[in-house]
Amino acid sequence: MASFKSTKIPIYPKLGEKVTPDTLYWKNYKAPVQIKEFGAVTSIDFSSLAPHNYAVTASTRIHIYGPFSTEPVKTFTRFKDTAYSGKFRSDGQLLVAGCEDSMVRLFDVSGKVALRVFKGHTKGVHVTDFTSDCYHILTGSDDYTCRLWDIPNSTELTSYKEHTDYIRCGITSKLNRDIFITGSYDHTLRMFDARVEKSVMTMDHSQPVESVLLYPSEGLLVSAGGRYVKVWDLLKGGQPLVSLKNHHKTVTCLSLSSNGQRLLSASLDRHVKIYNTTNYKVVHNFDYAASILSLALAPDDESIVVGMTNGVLSIKHRKSPEEKREMAGKQRMQPVYRIFVKGRNYVPKKDDFLVSKPVKSHLAKYDKQLKKFNISKALDTALESWRRNRKPEITVAVMKELDRRGTLKNALAGRDEQNLSQLLNFLIGNVVDPRFTPVLVTATEMILDIYQAVVGQSSVVDRQLVRLQELVEREVDYQQDLLEVLGMLDTLFAASLPRKEVPCPGSSRSNGLAEGSLGAPGPQLKAA
Amino acid sequence: MVAHAEIRVVHLSGSKINFREPVITNDSRFLLCASGESVKVYSSSSEECVHDLQGHTDLVSGIVRNPSNHLQVYSCSADGTVRLWDFTDGILIKTFIIGYPIYSIYVSENHGGVVFVVVPMANDKSSELFQLVAVHLPLSGDQEVEARELSAVLCDVSPSGAASFGRKGEYIAAVKGLQLEVFFFKKQKSHRFFLKSGNKKGAKNAFTCVSCHPKEDCIATGHEDGKIRLWRNFNQKKEYTYSTLHWHHGAVNTLQFTPEGTNLLSGGIESVLVQWHYTQENQKDFLPRLGGAITHIAVSPDGSLFCTSHSDNKITIIQSCVKVSAIIQGLVKGEGVRTDLTIDPRSKALVLNGKPGHLQFYSLHRDKLLYNLDIVQQEYIHEEGLDQFEVVKAAFDTRGDWLATVEERTQKGSELEINLKLWVYDEQTQSFMLNTTVIAPHEDQITAMCFSPSPETTMLVTISFDGHFKAWLLADHSDTKEGASWSCDFVGGYHHLKPGCCCFSADGSLLAVGFQEVVTVWSPSWELLTTLSQPPGAIRDLCFGRLSCSKYLLGTSTKNQLCCWNLLTCSLEWSTPVDVSLLQADPLSENMAAFCSQSGCSDLFVFKPGEPRPLYSQKALCTGKVQRAVFAPRDQMLESCEEHAQWLNRSQLYFFTQHMDLMTFSTKTEEDRLLASSKRLMVDDSVAVTPFYLLLGKHRQHQEALTNPMAERIQLPQGSIAIKELLYTPAHVLPSASFLCSMFVRSLLISSSSARQKNIILIPFQHIYWRNQSAVTYTTVQNLGSLRNVLVFHEISCKMSRKYSQDFDKVINNDF
């Protein structure tokens, strides 16, 4: 005597991204904290000193935030025009910033007034950075020059006039105090050596360069400009290695994760993409509300800070392990039924004779009713509101089972207005879902057959029927459009492939199927 | 053709066991059922076949207990004989020759020396009318007796199962159509009762079965609309009454009163055994979900055991209507077999679809159903006219790790539902586990399916009428939480033609797909390498040659062509005009078997693609077309020297005829071997013979032999440290065996000195050969005085190497 086999609930493949270690890692951040700044956030820089404060440059101010504060710890407001590129020195004591008024200011982090003001540029300075020996400052300006300054004397050391357009990004080497790289809107990246009069290396990005980044080993250089992110091999004399085109608007900022395994790029298309640096495939993606201008990662990826054009600064903090455990613990703690554990936790003693009891398989309510051939009741159970709304696949599976037993019509018949409107609501919600269409179309046809005679007696049901009709008509139009597009694609494929045999695209299957089966209820509805 | 006489086409068992009502013996230990041309005796507790009573030359059509001897049964057959058997020993006692084909047999305790059989009215077999006749069995000492003393009892009865003896054998009731006829032996008179055909309210009054109450005058009849009528007071022609019981929604297939008459059992298509209480008629018990539709019910004479036979060739034994205690399952075949015959590479079992929604694994060597694998995994609804899911295709990969199945359900007015399921073999549970379900893999019926035999990739190709073939690959999602699952890798087609068949080459480097008249050959990277065509006629079967003939591709077409292409030159090598209905390649050799249908008969040709002459041919193999065939590898290679029988050496060919009989070819050497082994396996006990029993029984006898001499021996000094050390330290930390040997031998020498005092000559191992350093492997022991020593030694060797201990056993056996 075989036991009753319960109704199989099909498991549908989850659409969208797959669960990889990367998605787990990058999803493990709390909901973002948002801070409104006075203008577009153009630069974010983390201090390398212990609490890891970060400087946020927006409009005419630079705010310094603590790692968990939402109010600025410190504010520098002595700018006469828009400030740019607030950067910490590697010891975290000094901060340098450029300004639209062509002056470069150096601040002590604890003070308020600028320690030094470097004058010499003729136009706004967008790029500032400290060299690795901490005594010099690199600046890049819209007057096409980049200069090195001495901090103690506040004098200009050298000036390079090789770029032919605005210099908008630059970076100094962390290993060599004399080497720095600048990127310009003249589409080039130039590497300079302070000991030499001219640039030592030039790379053509072929787009206005917005951001540059050096790998920790400084063998590879990453540049962003236009929609492209390009990687250059510096050890091979600036040979292009990879060119990535994953954004559909200008890429504005680049960053590396703390272990150097992942590269992040932010763009005006409001996305942050994370690449694997071994194969340069996109492994994760963040969406933001506005175009992104700046992006920075705290050491150890503790937080991701993103600045946007609408002046919003978004900070995401990583979940701490305790919090994670708490969450998991909560789920496990949920309902405690003492009756369930009664006698279960008894540990048998040495001389105890164990009598095993056959394990009783638990059947769901609808299965119990199906077992007793109570078909209408089973359908009612499957249509309970929580199940209908949260797990429509169960409702559809029960309908399918009833259809297999040839009793779906009986189960659908004999319903009052409320019941019927419930059923129609479910159909309206799910009939165009490709997973459920084959089953629900037959159910819809049956309902129309059964309740044809009572149409017009209830305004609620009539309204729903009209909605259903509109839905189906829209779907039919939609499928027709899709088929047209598919036809066009087919001709394109056929033209582009040199081979005689064209592998037929498998995607046509579901569309054609849905179209064919959906076509049927349309005219019937009109008749009704 | 004289030489060919050595190869015989034989019926393989696995015949129906649900053909007629089974019989339970008086002591409830055995169950007898008609199975093809023999009667099978099963043990009711162990489900094993104890005896196979062979002797009838045609279908056995009925079995009854001999009322005068509880160790004997009568069986009747369509060959016109009634035979009396002793079922405990499996001996034929007597044969009564009636002369007419017999369709069923009835006996009664009160009619000694008489059996009642159903024979055709006219002598010619074609007549549709049957009569019940009483046969007086002559008392004679001869083995074969002619019984000519026949007297007609009832005319116009149905051929099977529709008659029953009443209380004390005073009357017999038989039903046919709309008529119940009761014949009273005392009055020699019969009463007939008619029912209206009754078309109103869906009533169908035709009788289906009858059973008489053993203690009271009451007849129960079953009807086509599911009603059961209890007839009383039928000895008056006019004043009879009946009451109606109704639970079944389909026809009542069978009815049976329990021996005391307290309960009435009924069964039908619903597969529910219903037990009606005779006195309280509205009370009933149910035993649901027994399997296929119930066709017969039998009750043991003491009423403790029931057994039901089912339409899916199964007999269920039920203990007092509560618990299923045993299931005897035969091979399910017939119209329902839709999968090709396949061989499971692991268990070497024949696999085909059996019970609805299941695959059956049938061991060909043991003629036993191993298990059923539930493919559809849905509750089977027993109702007529319902479209159910059916398993239509099954395929194994070469190692037996993966099983692919296709199930489909056609429903009137709606589209075809197809599911492709992939099952992985689980070592722990020793069965197949569902891995991936693909809903609607194709838009139309899947016509063929095969796994790639190449060891690197696990790939499945499905061919469908929708004009595409799809390749499915096992994708390993090791980076995600889910395990490996299957996904579609490639969709191919050829000018929107419908593909019919596909075949992989033996190394998996080529895939041939037949698109109507065109054969396309594809590389593993899905490039179309070449197309071959030999019009007219669509390609029916494709087969790559194997081993030395792997450069050939063979194809058969619907227009009577057998073609052989050379794949190196891409040209036709040869072709012959024969109508090949089925082409099958032997996986272990170059041989191909082609079944050709010619003028209503099937011929078989076995050939190598590279040779012009067939290896073997047999004309008129069977009537009708051969439906399916398969080569099954043998357990042991045969060493047949005759040239024409060599193709059967490595594998055996099985095939299904048009009437769904499973047949095979057997050679003389094989039969000789079988005969020899059956003699060896003769067991005098009535306990079911299982390989397990044979093993254990042998072992026990052996043990007895061992213990007897041991009892007389004195004990060795157990305190020997060396032995203890040897036995209680783990094998992997022990020093090398050669080192241990000397220590061990020395320890034995001490014992020998003590033993010598008792005048027992004990010469320890004189010749001990250590084959290798790490494990004690093989020893030649001569003149062993003390068995105890051997046993100790044996233990060590066991510990060191399980594998080689068997060899040691052999040594012991040889020496004692």
Side-chain angles (χ1 to χ4, degrees):
Chain A
M1 190 172 74
S3 56
F4 181 82
K5 290 173 196 156
S6 56
T7 312
K8 272 262 174 280
I9 311 295
I11 304 161
Y12 293 101
K14 283 203 185 82
L15 299 174
E17 47 192 302
K18 293 228 163 63
V19 183
T20 58
D22 270 299
T23 53
L24 289 178
Y25 184 83
W26 295 109
K27 278 210 169 145
N28 190 23
Y29 284 93
K30 292 185 235 175
V33 178
Q34 301 217 326
I35 300 167
K36 180 75 179 156
E37 295 287 338
F38 293 100
V41 180
T42 52
S43 163
I44 302 162
D45 188 41
F46 271 92
S47 160
S48 52
L49 212 61
H52 301 305
N53 293 341
Y54 53 94
V56 175
T57 313
S59 184
T60 58
R61 291 156 196 246
I62 295 179
H63 291 299
I64 295 180
Y65 291 93
F68 293 106
S69 65
T70 52
E71 290 296 313
V73 177
K74 194 147 183 69
T75 310
F76 297 102
T77 52
R78 301 292 172 93
F79 294 100
K80 302 208 169 57
D81 208 335
T82 316
Y84 295 111
S85 175
K87 283 240 155 110
F88 282 106
R89 200 162 76 169
S90 56
D91 59 0
Q93 301 292 336
L94 295 179
L95 180 90
V96 68
C99 183
E100 191 58 48
D101 64 359
S102 79
M103 284 191 276
V104 179
R105 292 177 175 83
L106 182 74
F107 299 93
D108 186 352
V109 171
S110 51
K112 247 188 179 258
V113 189
L115 291 177
R116 298 275 190 280
V117 178
F118 304 98
K119 293 177 189 167
H121 281 295
T122 53
K123 277 187 179 168
V125 180
H126 281 259
V127 181
T128 58
D129 203 354
F130 290 94
T131 57
S132 60
D133 63 357
C134 301
Y135 302 131
H136 303 306
I137 288 170
L138 160 75
T139 59
S141 162
D142 285 357
D143 61 4
Y144 309 167
T145 61
C146 55
R147 300 174 195 215
L148 274 179
W149 308 81
D150 187 42
I151 297 173
N153 302 333
S154 74
T155 51
E156 182 187 319
L157 295 176
T158 38
S159 169
Y160 297 95
K161 287 187 184 164
E162 290 193 21
H163 283 294
T164 55
D165 208 333
Y166 300 158
I167 298 171
R168 284 292 164 89
C169 58
I171 192 165
T172 56
S173 160
K174 298 280 175 295
L175 304 178
N176 190 318
R177 61 174 190 157
D178 292 319
I179 288 182
F180 61 94
I181 295 153
T182 55
S184 157
Y185 276 12
D186 65 358
H187 301 189
T188 58
L189 295 154
R190 284 174 196 273
M191 185 200 248
F192 294 97
D193 189 335
R195 295 161 293 191
V196 182
E197 292 287 303
K198 288 173 76 182
S199 65
V200 291
M201 209 184 280
T202 308
M203 289 150 274
D204 185 15
H205 186 86
S206 56
Q207 308 276 338
V209 185
E210 295 281 355
S211 177
V212 288
L213 184 77
L214 270 172
Y215 269 77
S217 66
E218 301 194 349
L220 295 178
L221 173 76
V222 189
S223 66
R227 296 162 58 193
Y228 293 89
V229 173
K230 294 188 176 179
V231 184
W232 311 86
D233 192 343
L234 292 180
L235 301 180
K236 278 189 182 167
Q239 212 176 343
L241 210 64
V242 217
S243 174
L244 306 168
K245 192 179 145 192
N246 293 91
H247 290 281
H248 55 269
K249 279 187 187 167
T250 303
V251 183
T252 51
C253 198
L254 293 169
S255 178
L256 270 181
S257 75
S258 59
N259 55 5
Q261 299 282 307
R262 300 286 180 265
L263 174 71
L264 287 85
S265 69
S267 155
L268 294 179
D269 65 3
R270 305 182 300 176
H271 293 299
V272 172
K273 306 236 175 207
I274 301 166
Y275 308 85
N276 187 337
T277 54
T278 47
N279 53 12
Y280 292 102
K281 291 238 169 77
V282 177
V283 293
H284 197 68
N285 182 32
F286 290 117
D287 292 350
Y288 283 91
S291 301
I292 302 164
L293 288 180
S294 52
L295 159 82
L297 252 74
D300 290 333
D301 303 342
E302 282 305 318
S303 50
I304 301 171
V305 186
V306 164
M308 287 171 269
T309 47
N310 59 358
V312 171
L313 185 71
S314 153
I315 307 134
K316 280 186 185 176
H317 292 289
R318 173 168 288 281
K319 282 178 197 158
S320 59
E322 292 90 53
E323 279 174 289
K324 247 205 268 180
R325 217 173 299 134
E326 249 174 50
M327 294 269 286
K330 253 183 218 161
Q331 279 170 356
R332 209 180 307 135
M333 287 292 283
Q334 270 173 358
V336 179
Y337 294 115
R338 256 193 300 166
I339 190 107
F340 283 171
V341 293
K342 202 172 93 184
R344 293 273 172 95
N345 45 9
Y346 178 76
V347 183
K349 294 204 183 76
K350 202 179 162 193
D351 297 331
D352 283 354
F353 182 73
L354 284 172
V355 181
S356 59
K357 198 172 72 175
V359 183
K360 211 174 175 184
S361 62
H362 173 76
L363 285 181
K365 198 176 171 193
Y366 53 84
D367 270 336
K368 280 182 190 160
Q369 283 156 340
L370 281 175
K371 189 179 168 188
K372 289 180 183 161
F373 292 84
N374 293 337
I375 46 170
S376 288
K377 278 185 190 166
L379 189 60
D380 286 341
T381 314
L383 277 171
E384 276 169 9
S385 59
W386 71 270
R387 203 173 272 123
R388 186 176 72 209
N389 297 330
R390 289 174 58 191
K391 289 188 172 163
E393 63 265 25
I394 293 184
T395 315
V396 175
V398 171
M399 282 191 179
K400 194 176 180 185
E401 171 70 16
L402 290 173
D403 187 32
R404 187 179 73 87
R405 293 177 173 213
T407 49
L408 182 57
K409 206 162 191 168
N410 302 7
L412 289 170
R415 290 177 182 265
D416 57 7
E417 182 186 348
Q418 194 196 342
N419 250 330
L420 185 61
S421 73
Q422 220 176 54
L423 199 58
L424 285 172
N425 251 338
F426 178 73
L427 289 179
I428 289 167
N430 293 290
V431 78
V432 293
D433 191 332
R435 298 176 296 170
F436 307 140
T437 305
V439 181
L440 292 186
V441 161
T442 37
T444 315
E445 282 177 356
M446 282 180 187
I447 289 175
L448 292 178
D449 283 351
I450 296 165
Y451 297 102
Q452 219 166 14
V454 295
V455 168
Q457 291 182 12
S458 155
S459 59
V460 184
V461 172
D462 286 355
R463 222 177 302 130
Q464 277 172 325
L465 283 176
V466 171
R467 266 179 69 198
L468 187 62
Q469 184 182 3
E470 282 167 7
L471 183 75
V472 170
E473 276 168 6
R474 214 179 321 130
E475 184 68 15
V476 169
D477 289 346
Y478 177 55
Q479 298 286 353
Q480 216 150 23
D481 290 350
L482 276 181
L483 279 181
E484 278 169 23
V485 173
L486 210 67
M488 286 186 245
L489 283 178
D490 270 353
T491 33
L492 284 179
F493 277 131
S496 67
L497 279 180
R499 270 192 304 173
K500 272 188 283 177
E501 282 70 39
V502 188
C504 308
S507 58
S508 66
R509 191 195 61 76
S510 61
N511 295 331
L513 200 146
E515 212 277 329
S517 50
L518 266 172
Q524 278 199 6
L525 261 169
K526 278 169 209 155
Chain B
M1 280 296 175
V2 182
H4 286 181
E6 279 190 20
I7 297 182
R8 286 204 312 134
V9 182
V10 289
H11 258 282
L12 200 74
S13 39
S15 45
K16 273 174 124 179
I17 54 172
N18 62 346
F19 180 55
R20 285 295 142 92
E21 190 181 310
V23 165
I24 307 178
T25 57
N26 271 13
D27 53 2
S28 305
R29 281 174 62 203
F30 300 109
L31 180 113
L32 289 88
C33 62
S35 161
E37 294 177 3
S38 66
V39 177
K40 285 207 166 165
V41 185
Y42 288 96
S43 157
S44 62
S45 51
S46 70
E47 310 169 16
E48 292 289 336
C49 180
V50 184
H51 287 297
D52 196 8
L53 309 179
Q54 283 174 336
H56 283 293
T57 54
D58 207 338
L59 218 56
V60 176
S61 55
I63 311 168
V64 284
R65 288 182 289 263
N66 184 358
S68 51
N69 188 338
H70 65 82
L71 292 177
Q72 292 175 349
V73 287
Y74 288 111
S75 71
C76 66
S77 156
D79 63 359
T81 57
V82 171
R83 287 173 200 247
L84 183 65
W85 305 87
D86 180 332
F87 56 81
T88 44
D89 298 331
I91 302 167
L92 175 65
I93 298 170
K94 246 179 197 176
T95 307
F96 303 100
I97 299 165
I98 311 287
Y100 309 101
I102 305 167
Y103 289 89
S104 47
I105 184 166
Y106 305 95
V107 291
S108 164
E109 279 180 45
N110 305 82
H111 299 270
V114 180
V115 294
F116 296 83
V117 293
V118 174
V119 293
M121 285 271 241
N123 271 347
D124 54 329
K125 275 192 171 184
S126 58
S127 92
E128 294 283 306
L129 295 173
F130 300 94
Q131 59 181 347
L132 184 77
V133 296
V135 181
H136 292 271
L137 301 175
L139 297 167
S140 142
D142 296 339
Q143 271 279 333
E144 279 192 24
V145 195
E146 278 203 30
R148 291 289 179 208
E149 206 177 321
L150 307 181
S151 54
V153 179
L154 288 173
C155 299
D156 194 14
V157 294
S158 72
S160 74
S164 172
F165 277 100
R167 177 169 64 95
K168 290 179 185 161
E170 279 177 8
Y171 55 90
I172 186 165
V175 292
K176 192 191 180 193
L178 290 163
Q179 165 201 320
L180 165 70
E181 188 171 4
V182 185
F183 181 82
F184 296 93
F185 289 101
K186 262 187 192 162
K187 292 189 252 176
Q188 289 288 317
K189 201 176 125 189
S190 71
H191 286 179
R192 291 184 186 190
F193 307 98
F194 293 94
L195 287 175
K196 283 180 200 146
S197 62
N199 279 324
K200 61 172 182 185
K201 289 183 192 167
K204 284 180 272 180
N205 281 336
F207 289 95
T208 52
C209 51
V210 65
S211 178
C212 296
H213 196 281
K215 298 279 152 76
E216 289 175 33
D217 281 338
C218 174
I219 300 172
T221 57
H223 299 263
E224 259 180 20
D225 55 356
K227 286 192 181 116
I228 297 167
R229 287 193 169 86
L230 295 173
W231 301 75
R232 293 192 178 85
N233 208 17
F234 43 81
N235 38 15
Q236 273 98 23
K237 187 118 184 154
K238 300 274 177 195
E239 288 148 15
Y240 65 91
T241 60
Y242 62 76
S243 58
T244 311
L245 309 173
H246 199 171
W247 181 86
H248 294 276
H249 67 73
V252 182
N253 279 347
T254 175
L255 277 172
Q256 192 75 42
F257 273 104
T258 53
E260 292 304 313
T262 49
N263 292 317
L264 172 67
L265 304 169
S266 69
I269 192 176
E270 305 88 354
S271 184
V272 180
L273 180 68
V274 186
Q275 187 178 22
W276 308 83
H277 295 261
Y278 179 66
T279 43
Q280 302 133 302
E281 280 168 1
N282 41 12
Q283 254 193 37
K284 47 195 179 288
D285 297 328
F286 303 106
L287 197 62
R289 288 186 289 282
L290 290 171
I294 295 176
T295 53
H296 302 102
I297 299 174
V299 185
S300 69
D302 58 356
S304 64
L305 280 188
F306 304 154
C307 77
T308 53
S309 40
H310 300 265
S311 57
D312 55 357
N313 206 10
K314 182 173 88 167
I315 296 175
T316 314
I317 299 168
I318 299 157
Q319 272 177 347
S320 52
C321 205
V322 201
K323 207 180 91 200
V324 173
S325 67
I327 292 171
I328 298 161
Q329 172 84 60
L331 183 69
V332 186
K333 53 192 188 180
E335 293 305 303
V337 175
R338 298 184 59 187
T339 61
D340 282 332
L341 299 181
T342 37
I343 298 289
D344 176 16
R346 267 176 204 272
S347 60
K348 304 279 181 286
L350 183 72
V351 179
L352 64 163
N353 73 324
K355 283 163 62 175
H358 287 67
L359 270 188
Q360 52 183 345
F361 287 66
Y362 189 81
S363 168
L364 290 164
H365 301 292
R366 287 167 54 206
D367 183 25
K368 195 175 176 220
L369 194 87
L370 296 179
Y371 62 95
N372 279 307
L373 183 67
D374 188 0
I375 300 294
V376 172
Q377 299 188 328
Q378 267 179 350
E379 181 72 7
Y380 186 77
I381 305 296
H382 296 279
E383 200 178 306
E384 251 171 320
L386 210 59
D387 306 301
Q388 310 270 11
F389 266 111
E390 270 186 282
V391 185
V392 290
K393 289 277 176 292
F396 286 95
D397 76 337
T398 38
R399 272 166 301 165
D401 290 339
W402 289 96
L403 162 68
T405 58
V406 176
E407 64 207 42
E408 61 176 45
R409 174 170 168 253
T410 40
Q411 205 180 2
K412 285 178 289 284
S414 80
E415 57 199 273
L416 190 73
E417 282 179 67
I418 311 176
N419 291 338
L420 170 68
K421 283 181 178 170
L422 287 134
W423 307 75
V424 63
Y425 187 80
D426 187 29
E427 292 283 352
Q428 269 191 333
T429 54
Q430 296 279 305
S431 72
F432 285 93
M433 311 289 273
L434 186 59
N435 179 275
T436 308
T437 308
V438 185
I439 299 167
H442 282 278
E443 283 169 59
D444 209 338
Q445 272 188 335
I446 291 178
T447 50
M449 176 165 79
C450 59
F451 272 99
S452 161
S454 85
E456 292 101 49
T457 55
T458 320
M459 192 207 291
L460 174 76
V461 172
T462 54
I463 308 279
S464 162
F465 271 145
D466 63 1
H468 299 317
F469 71 90
K470 290 189 183 182
W472 307 84
L473 264 186
L474 181 66
D476 198 11
H477 304 293
S478 50
D479 51 341
T480 58
K481 277 181 182 171
E482 308 138 29
S485 65
W486 291 74
S487 54
C488 186
D489 181 52
F490 179 74
V491 184
Y494 186 77
H495 292 291
H496 296 290
L497 293 175
K498 284 184 179 178
C501 51
C502 65
C503 182
F504 267 105
S505 66
D507 56 351
S509 62
L510 290 177
L511 170 71
V513 184
F515 286 93
Q516 288 176 0
E517 294 178 5
V518 187
V519 182
T520 56
V521 183
W522 303 76
S523 73
S525 54
W526 304 115
E527 266 176 276
L528 181 62
L529 295 177
T530 183
T531 56
L532 307 163
S533 177
Q534 192 68 23
I539 300 294
R540 192 187 273 160
D541 258 325
L542 278 175
C543 252
F544 275 97
R546 278 166 206 272
L547 305 172
S548 67
C549 300
S550 54
K551 63 179 174 183
Y552 297 111
L553 171 67
L554 283 103
T556 64
S557 72
T558 48
K559 289 278 162 63
N560 302 353
Q561 284 276 351
L562 171 63
C563 311
C564 176
W565 288 281
N566 190 333
L567 289 170
L568 299 177
T569 59
C570 290
S571 59
L572 190 73
E573 190 91 359
W574 51 264
S575 74
T576 52
V578 281
D579 182 18
V580 179
S581 61
L582 196 68
L583 187 68
Q584 196 75 32
D586 183 359
L588 296 178
S589 67
E590 296 101 333
N591 301 334
M592 300 257 178
F595 291 94
C596 314
S597 54
Q598 217 163 31
S599 60
C601 279
S602 276
D603 304 338
L604 169 71
F605 295 100
V606 180
F607 61 97
K608 284 185 185 176
E611 285 174 25
R613 260 165 47 87
L615 294 172
Y616 173 78
S617 65
Q618 168 123 22
K619 298 267 180 201
L621 195 66
C622 60
T623 56
K625 263 190 185 177
V626 170
Q627 306 286 321
R628 305 179 201 291
V630 72
F631 272 104
R634 284 185 194 274
D635 275 353
Q636 275 173 298
M637 236 184 86
L638 274 190
E639 271 128 30
S640 168
C641 38
E642 291 94 3
E643 198 189 342
H644 61 268
Q646 269 172 1
W647 64 279
L648 281 169
N649 278 4
R650 309 193 63 169
S651 17
Q652 206 166 358
L653 182 62
Y654 295 90
F655 62 95
F656 263 132
T657 62
Q658 198 170 30
H659 307 292
M660 284 294 165
D661 292 320
L662 186 60
M663 314 266 256
T664 188
F665 293 89
S666 106
T667 58
K668 200 164 174 250
T669 43
E670 196 185 0
E671 273 165 28
D672 291 346
R673 205 169 66 178
L674 269 179
L675 208 67
S677 68
S678 69
K679 266 180 196 160
R680 203 173 63 236
L681 291 180
M682 239 7 157
V683 194
D684 50 356
D685 207 332
S686 64
V687 181
V689 189
T690 62
F692 186 66
Y693 166 78
L694 284 174
L695 254 175
L696 254 190
K698 231 190 221 169
H699 184 72
R700 200 184 300 148
Q701 284 164 11
H702 189 75
Q703 259 187 352
E704 276 165 18
L706 281 180
T707 42
N708 287 342
M710 207 154 66
E712 296 160 15
R713 302 280 178 207
I714 49 106
Q715 297 272 309
L716 259 186
Q718 285 298 303
S720 171
I721 305 155
I723 291 173
K724 259 196 185 160
E725 206 175 52
L726 268 177
L727 290 181
Y728 292 104
T729 41
H732 61 275
V733 298
L734 279 177
S736 75
S738 58
F739 176 77
L740 285 176
C741 174
S742 58
M743 195 169 75
F744 179 63
V745 170
R746 218 178 299 131
S747 79
L748 292 176
L749 284 174
I750 301 162
S751 72
S752 77
S753 66
S754 66
R756 200 174 293 144
Q757 294 168 355
K758 310 232 169 175
N759 278 340
I760 294 168
I761 302 159
L762 206 158
I763 305 161
F765 312 93
Q766 287 182 341
H767 304 280
I768 299 172
Y769 298 109
W770 304 88
R771 191 178 277 174
N772 63 33
Q773 289 279 316
S774 58
V776 183
T777 56
Y778 194 84
T779 55
T780 309
V781 187
Q782 288 187 345
N783 243 343
L784 275 178
S786 159
L787 201 79
R788 165 66 53 167
N789 287 357
V790 177
L791 289 179
V792 167
F793 193 77
H794 186 184
E795 252 177 279
I796 302 163
S797 76
C798 275
K799 206 169 170 187
M800 289 186 164
S801 155
R802 279 275 151 78
K803 194 181 158 201
Y804 292 112
S805 66
Q806 293 164 353
D807 292 356
F808 198 85
D809 260 342
K810 246 183 249 165
V811 175
I812 298 176
N813 295 348
N814 291 342
D815 285 341
F816 294 96

